[in-house]
Amino acid sequence: MTNRTTTFVGRFRCGQGAWHVSTESAEVASVIRRLFGEQSPIQSKGASDQLEVLPQSSSLPVVISGPECVRAGLLTAAPHYEPGPSVRVTFRLADAYDLGGFRLSSSSWDLAESVPALRSALADTSGDALCELTAETVEFTTRDGATLSYCRPSIKVVGPWRDSDRYTA
């Protein structure tokens, strides 16, 4: 169960249609590489003690422990700008449940709009839920003819989490 006593071992963010996982633990980075492969590594832009792993898979099985693990709101904007969404999700990797908790923070409007349905689906599982965390590249062309892309994160509830022995690293 992901709760206040959970030790958080990493952060997920969505970038260029792929997951970026930051951690301070070489063990956590190694487990993620072993489970999900890794794209070409990149240099971490943050603190020197941060390791960054780019899993090859854009879809990962995770366990979310109920609707209270999904929070959404609006970030305060600078003057003359509209506020933006802020979604925070805490979870564990289904394939390495005992590794510890992870956090996902996103400013995706699509993810923010899906929060009520996600919370409802999580409540329906009555406990830990097996979910699919997906990063999708969305491309579009502006009126000026420029092609832009962004990463859209999504979370789909698969069902109740029952087979914890199968999903231990």
Side-chain angles (χ1 to χ4, degrees):
M1 181 173 184
T2 307
N3 58 33
R4 289 187 183 127
T5 61
T6 297
T7 300
F8 288 95
V9 296
R11 292 186 165 278
F12 274 65
R13 67 181 173 82
C14 192
Q16 298 174 343
W19 291 112
H20 296 235
V21 184
S22 299
T23 182
E24 293 180 0
S25 167
E27 176 189 356
V28 170
S30 176
V31 169
I32 292 169
R33 284 183 190 107
R34 180 174 51 83
L35 290 173
F36 307 114
E38 183 179 26
Q39 299 176 29
S40 300
I42 62 171
Q43 185 68 29
S44 178
K45 296 177 183 175
S48 61
D49 56 350
Q50 286 288 312
L51 302 169
E52 190 162 60
V53 179
L54 304 175
Q56 285 181 337
S57 178
S58 62
S59 183
L60 307 171
V62 300
V63 178
I64 300 177
S65 298
E68 66 278 359
C69 293
V70 180
R71 295 194 173 116
L74 290 176
L75 293 175
T76 305
H80 309 292
Y81 290 94
E82 296 291 322
S86 173
V87 179
R88 299 184 189 279
V89 182
T90 58
F91 58 89
R92 291 177 179 264
L93 296 175
D95 294 328
Y97 187 88
D98 294 332
L99 195 58
F102 289 85
R103 292 182 174 122
L104 166 66
S105 296
S106 175
S107 60
S108 164
W109 279 106
D110 292 327
L111 184 58
E113 290 170 356
S114 74
V115 165
L118 174 59
R119 282 184 169 160
S120 178
L122 289 168
D124 289 347
T125 63
S126 300
D128 290 352
L130 178 62
C131 301
E132 182 179 8
L133 183 64
T134 303
E136 175 187 5
T137 299
V138 177
E139 294 183 350
F140 62 97
T141 303
T142 66
R143 284 184 247 170
D144 297 337
T147 301
L148 301 176
S149 67
Y150 66 95
C151 184
R152 176 175 38 205
S154 65
I155 302 170
K156 175 184 162 191
V157 176
V158 175
W161 171 251
R162 299 185 200 276
D163 194 4
S164 59
D165 292 337
R166 180 176 161 227
Y167 290 96
T168 303

